[in-house]
Amino acid sequence: IAQLPFPPARFLGRAGHRRVFSRVPFRSLPRHGGEPQPSATMSAAQIEEATQEVLGAAAEAIDFLASNGLAGVTVDGLRGLVEAGDIEMALLQTKEYAFMMAYLDHPALVVLLTTAWEKICAKLKLELKKATKRLENLEADKKTEPEALAAAQATLATLETRIANAKIKFLHLRNMRDLEEVIKAKEERVAEKKRAKEIAAMAAAKEAADAEGGDPAATPAN
């Protein structure tokens, strides 16, 4: 019993044999030992959780434009795309509208868009994993109709294309975000050096004035 990969629930004796009943659902039992395999319910829950994260990230990006003066009718259009499920188009248009707003904090928006596309990539990968498993099951079933098999193959191909496109957009925005961080860090170093020089100059002036017995801040009387 100690070697079983799951705790037994009870034992039933019958004709000198014992049968073990597990509390673990049948679909989640390991095939060859090790950890239980993820069930279809678990995959659906993961996809739903990822979907909610995508919706939240898209809403943050759109709300950012709304709070910075984007026209209400345009904001409603972007939110309408999200509600219709076309989140990727909503993010593309969000980026286009943002770069037409001169006084927007563009680096902050780039961070929001990068996060949104990263979450889209994660969600699509979960959907691809589910679609791949479904296609494998259909291919293994000799009774599968050709139409069902073709539909599953088309779904898989579509997801692969969407993942490739989403990854390109994510990497582009991530590079922009990283470049902004490099520029910001460089500007901070320059500003810090400038402050250090100013402080050193003030200290030198004060030291010289003290040596002469005067006040460097004082101005000579006319």
Side-chain angles (χ1 to χ4, degrees), residues 65 70 74 78 92-101 104:
L65 293 190
L70 185 64
T74 305
L78 293 174
L92 288 174
Q93 292 190 8
T94 297
K95 180 183 175 183
E96 294 299 323
Y97 287 127
F99 289 136
M100 291 188 290
M101 301 171 68
L104 185 72

Side-chain angles (χ1 to χ4, degrees), residues 51-85:
T51 299
Q52 294 304 316
E53 290 182 358
V54 169
L55 290 171
E60 284 188 39
I62 295 172
D63 290 346
F64 183 79
L65 293 190
S67 64
N68 281 275
L70 185 64
V73 63
T74 305
V75 172
D76 291 341
L78 293 174
R79 289 172 176 163
L81 286 172
V82 173
E83 292 174 0

Side-chain angles (χ1 to χ4, degrees), residues 73 152 180 192:
V73 63
E180 290 288 349
E192 184 63 28

Side-chain angles (χ1 to χ4, degrees), residues 83-143:
E83 292 174 0
D86 200 350
I87 302 174
E88 294 162 48
M89 178 57 68
L91 291 176
L92 288 174
Q93 292 190 8
T94 297
K95 180 183 175 183
E96 294 299 323
Y97 287 127
F99 289 136
M100 291 188 290
M101 301 171 68
Y103 300 102
L104 185 72
D105 184 357
H106 292 97
L109 178 66
V110 167
V111 171
L112 294 176
L113 291 175
T114 302
T115 300
W117 280 107
E118 183 176 18
K119 293 185 179 299
I120 285 178
C121 288
K123 172 180 172 291
L124 290 176
K125 287 179 181 179
L126 290 174
E127 293 180 359
L128 180 67
K129 183 177 179 180
K130 182 179 178 180
T132 301
K133 183 62 178 177
R134 182 173 184 276
L135 179 59
E136 290 174 352
N137 292 337
L138 290 174
E139 290 175 338
D141 187 356
K142 296 181 180 180
K143 297 180 181 180

